[in-house]
Amino acid sequence: MAAWLLGINTLEIQPFKLPPLGPHDVRVRMKAVGICGSDVHYLKTLRCADFIVKEPMVIGHECAGIIEEVGSVVKSLVPGDRVALEPGISCWRCNLCKEGRYNLCPEMKFFATPPVHGSLANQVVHPADLCFKLPDNVSLEEGAMCEPLSVGVHACRRSNIGPETNVLIMGAGPIGLVTMLAARAFGAPRIVVVDVDDYRLSVAKDLGADDTVKVSTNVQDVAEEVVKIHKAMGAEVDISFDCAGFNKTMSTALSATRPGGKVCLVGMGHSEMTVPLTPGAAREVDVIGIFRYKNTWPLCLEFLRSGKIDVKPLITHRFGFSQKEVEDAFETSARGGTAIKVMFNL
């Protein structure tokens, strides 16, 4: 059985026929699946950015489970192993894959990115090399959290975060928060988080932000808010992460970042923006894009194993896998409010 997206605001648990188990594949019984903002986008609009759902699709991609069966040549895993799943299968033949940037593969088959089925199901079949064994002290829920955490880790790698980079984070949603946790684990000495919502800022503070700044949604306020951000940082902003991706957040990030610094655009709120790029360029502020992640699961699992990162406080709501609970869980996630990460326990 699996949770099928059948139309706008229509999710139904229906039978799901698994593909055959290839020699390099494993069959995994799903145990923990998180809801991502993209899942909610698909449910509400049947699209996310340029990806459009044209036929029924199984939803979900943040997941962990237990190996039930392994393909004939799989040596690294055995039935009973607990694993976190990296959801994207790249071709390994194109130039981008060959140079190691497989996250940009044009042939990428990614859970719940149409037309590929996702993982909110009792079982899935997946390549063994994309299933990462969980350390004994890391739970299945934490394993599922490796997926959003990977976005933060990839952003920190691309931006060269370290003990000499003071970090500004625009947006305290799930991705802003995991980026903050990753930046701290990478050694960032001072982190300031900005959002429009008091509750989310209080969560950021509880999770270790050095300071927070509440802002408006009005683009006219950018100049005075940048002053507030600089005051909160008490030093120059070396790297800004825009984890919302709106005109205003990107404008603020570009204006707040020091000459010679970097702005990393993580969130995808607006596909087109009007931002003060020329003044930023005149101060040699580099703008970096990221898309998903690559080679992040081993590091995420090590951060969780060692306690350098604790993702458990991000999991605010839990649901089982019944028709009503699936509907309620997505409603809870879409409402926002006090919900950060909504998790299914299967």
Side-chain angles (χ1 to χ4, degrees), residues 292-311:
R292 294 176 180 154
Y293 34 67
K294 60 185 176 79
N295 302 315
T296 48
W297 259 253
L299 182 56
C300 288
L301 288 171
E302 175 53 27
F303 280 150
L304 296 175
R305 184 200 66 76
S306 65
K308 270 189 121 172
I309 290 179
D310 181 9
V311 289

Side-chain angles (χ1 to χ4, degrees), residues 30-34 64 120-122 139-142 144 315 317-322 325 329 342-346:
M30 287 292 104
K31 299 302 282 183
V33 182
L120 183 47
N122 295 125
S139 70
L140 286 152
E141 285 191 339
E142 292 171 276
I315 305 167
H317 294 73
R318 292 173 172 84
F319 291 86
F321 190 52
S322 66
E325 285 182 286
V342 177
M343 187 72 69
F344 290 104
N345 294 127
L346 283 78

Side-chain angles (χ1 to χ4, degrees), residues 161-226:
I161 297 299
E164 296 180 305
T165 46
N166 289 320
V167 169
L168 170 66
I169 293 180
M170 307 297 302
I175 293 297
L177 295 172
V178 293
T179 303
M180 180 189 83
L181 293 173
R184 185 66 87 209
F186 273 70
R190 191 156 176 83
I191 303 174
V192 172
V193 178
V194 174
D195 201 281
V196 295
D197 184 271
D198 283 316
Y199 174 73
R200 296 211 152 176
L201 288 174
S202 73
V203 173
K205 198 90 171 91
D206 291 344
L207 287 170
D210 293 295
D211 209 345
T212 59
V213 177
K214 189 181 183 187
V215 294
S216 74
T217 52
N218 186 348
V219 81
Q220 259 66 56
D221 298 336
V222 167
E224 62 189 72
E225 287 168 358
V226 166

Side-chain angles (χ1 to χ4, degrees), residues 40 64 76 125 177 205 212 239 273:
V40 175
S76 54
V125 168
L177 295 172
K205 198 90 171 91
T212 59
I239 316 265
M273 296 189 216

Side-chain angles (χ1 to χ4, degrees), residues 131-149:
C131 297
F132 296 86
K133 203 169 162 179
L134 300 182
D136 291 343
N137 65 341
V138 173
S139 70
L140 286 152
E141 285 191 339
E142 292 171 276
M145 288 297 291
C146 283
E147 199 280 340
L149 180 56

Side-chain angles (χ1 to χ4, degrees), residues 57-58 108-118:
M57 177 183 83
V58 176
M108 177 68 83
K109 294 180 174 64
F110 193 94
F111 279 158
T113 295
V116 182
H117 290 308

